[in-house]
């Protein structure tokens, strides 16, 4: 039995990477950014990814988020294998299965917080009414029920990032990927946004994979993965 089939017998992980390889060519040099990376993220669990700059954390998140293709290996979202599927299928799986939070919020500046949470749902085929109801639910969940009509520029850094978190959850994903989600915030706001993320991981049963430079925050997650030399090491 191959490794993927074996793993299928266990509880389905939100996200699983099996022997994922990614190399980049830099001149004559081949850079082994991901060297047979294996990992499995359970539901309701936050996993920290730490490693030096240039180690490949963003590449790993991009590949885990189906934004970039690996050279080899398999990615499974909620037990569904991605390789061999066409672009349309991968895009659909990404839209419905995965939410992203970046260091900078990347909210659309000309739209309100509420509209920023509505739009990804409408792109995904939801009616404005249904999308609006979920946006209200999510903005309430992140403590911004009163701020939905504000545009990003009218919100504080912490509020912008909380809106970005609500947007990431818009399509009810199984997996939340975050690249330095508190990296642009002052320590106190960073702490509050982090607490919110952890609460949502538990209550929404997310598999969260969070790249951070902050070792204190990393230690407060359920697992810490160190990433260096193309390999992921637990502990
Ligand atoms: P991190 O997020 O840990 O700082 P990255 O994933 O951004 O690391 O990059 C990992 C390595 O891969 C770096 O050495 C970077 O220069 C290289 N790299 C990233 N993208 C490309 C690309 N498209 N072509 C060539 N090299 C790349």
């Amino acid at each position: 039995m191959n490794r993927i089939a074996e793993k299928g017998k266990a509880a389905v992980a939100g996200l699983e990477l099996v022997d994922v390889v990614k190399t980049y060519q830099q001149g004559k040099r081949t850079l082994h950014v991901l060297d047979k990376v294996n990992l499995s993220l359970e539901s309701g669990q936050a996993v920290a990814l730490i490693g030096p700059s240039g180690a490949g954390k963003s590449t790993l998140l991009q590949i885990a988020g189906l934004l970039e293709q690996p050279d080899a290996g398999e990615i499974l979202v909620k037990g569904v294998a991605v390789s061999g599927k066409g672009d349309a299928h991968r895009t659909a799986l990404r839209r419905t299965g995965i939410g992203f939070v970046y260091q900078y919020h990347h909210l659309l500046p000309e739209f309100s917080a509420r509209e920023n949470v509505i739009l990804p749902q409408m792109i995904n085929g939801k009616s404005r009414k249904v999308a609006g109801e979920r946006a209200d639910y999510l903005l309430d969940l992140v403590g911004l029920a009163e701020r939905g009509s504000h545009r990003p520029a009218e919100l504080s850094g912490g509020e912008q990032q909380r809106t970005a978190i609500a947007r990431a959850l818009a399509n009810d994903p199984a997996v939340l990927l975050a690249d330095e989600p508190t990296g642009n915030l002052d320590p106190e706001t960073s702490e509050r946004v982090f607490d919110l993320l952890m609460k949502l991981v538990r209550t929404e049963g997310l598999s969260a994979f969070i790249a951070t430079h902050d070792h204190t925050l990393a230690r407060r997650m359920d697992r810490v993965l160190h990433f260096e030399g193309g390999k992921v090491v637990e502990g």
Side-chain angles (χ1 to χ4, degrees):
M1 191 184 291
N2 69 32
R3 293 182 57 188
I4 296 170
E6 254 172 48
K7 293 196 177 187
K9 291 193 297 187
V12 173
L15 177 72
E16 194 160 359
L17 270 61
V18 182
D19 288 339
V20 169
V21 173
K22 182 74 179 177
T23 55
Y24 288 123
Q25 207 61 39
Q26 290 192 341
K28 286 188 177 164
R29 211 169 131 239
T30 302
L31 205 61
H32 297 273
V33 182
L34 305 183
D35 189 6
K36 289 201 169 183
V37 167
N38 288 281
L39 59 92
S40 175
L41 306 188
E42 287 166 32
S43 300
Q45 213 184 48
V47 177
L49 177 66
I50 57 175
S53 188
K57 301 182 294 301
S58 299
T59 303
L60 180 52
L61 287 175
Q62 296 273 100
I63 286 177
L66 315 184
L67 289 164
E68 221 177 298
Q69 295 245 46
D71 299 335
E74 186 57 277
I75 299 158
L76 298 98
V77 179
K78 279 194 288 185
V80 177
V82 175
S83 74
K85 303 273 199 287
D87 279 353
H89 191 280
R90 267 208 320 280
T91 302
L93 203 54
R94 180 171 67 241
R95 279 203 195 131
T96 56
I98 302 169
F100 293 90
V101 180
Y102 301 95
Q103 179 171 1
Y104 299 98
H105 55 77
H106 293 311
L107 296 168
L108 298 170
E110 67 274 30
F111 291 98
S112 69
R114 187 169 185 269
E115 287 164 337
N116 266 280
V117 185
I118 286 176
L119 282 172
Q121 301 178 70
M122 291 185 69
I123 289 168
N124 219 18
K126 295 261 173 65
S127 71
R128 177 169 274 280
K129 182 171 181 293
V130 169
E133 284 164 5
R134 179 149 178 88
D136 292 337
Y137 165 76
L138 289 170
L139 288 171
D140 188 40
L141 204 60
V142 301
L144 291 176
E146 312 299 320
R147 313 288 277 166
S149 63
H150 292 253
R151 290 185 183 189
E154 299 162 346
L155 299 171
S156 70
E159 288 170 341
Q160 289 168 347
Q161 207 53 331
R162 283 191 275 151
T163 307
I165 291 168
R167 179 190 51 187
L169 302 186
N171 288 320
D172 199 14
V175 179
L176 183 76
L177 300 176
D179 200 351
E180 298 283 351
T182 64
N184 194 34
L185 304 173
D186 65 72
E188 200 178 308
T189 310
S190 162
E191 181 83 11
R192 271 196 260 127
V193 168
F194 179 76
D195 287 345
L196 170 68
L197 265 179
M198 292 302 285
K199 186 182 100 182
L200 294 176
V201 167
R202 310 278 187 244
T203 58
E204 305 292 300
L206 297 165
S207 299
F209 197 29
I210 303 175
T212 180
H213 280 113
D214 189 327
H215 287 246
T216 311
L217 293 187
R219 275 194 295 274
R220 288 175 50 200
M221 295 189 221
D222 301 298
R223 286 162 62 197
V224 180
L225 301 179
H226 295 263
F227 186 46
E228 205 166 355
K231 300 276 188 194
V232 165
V233 180
E234 191 107 20

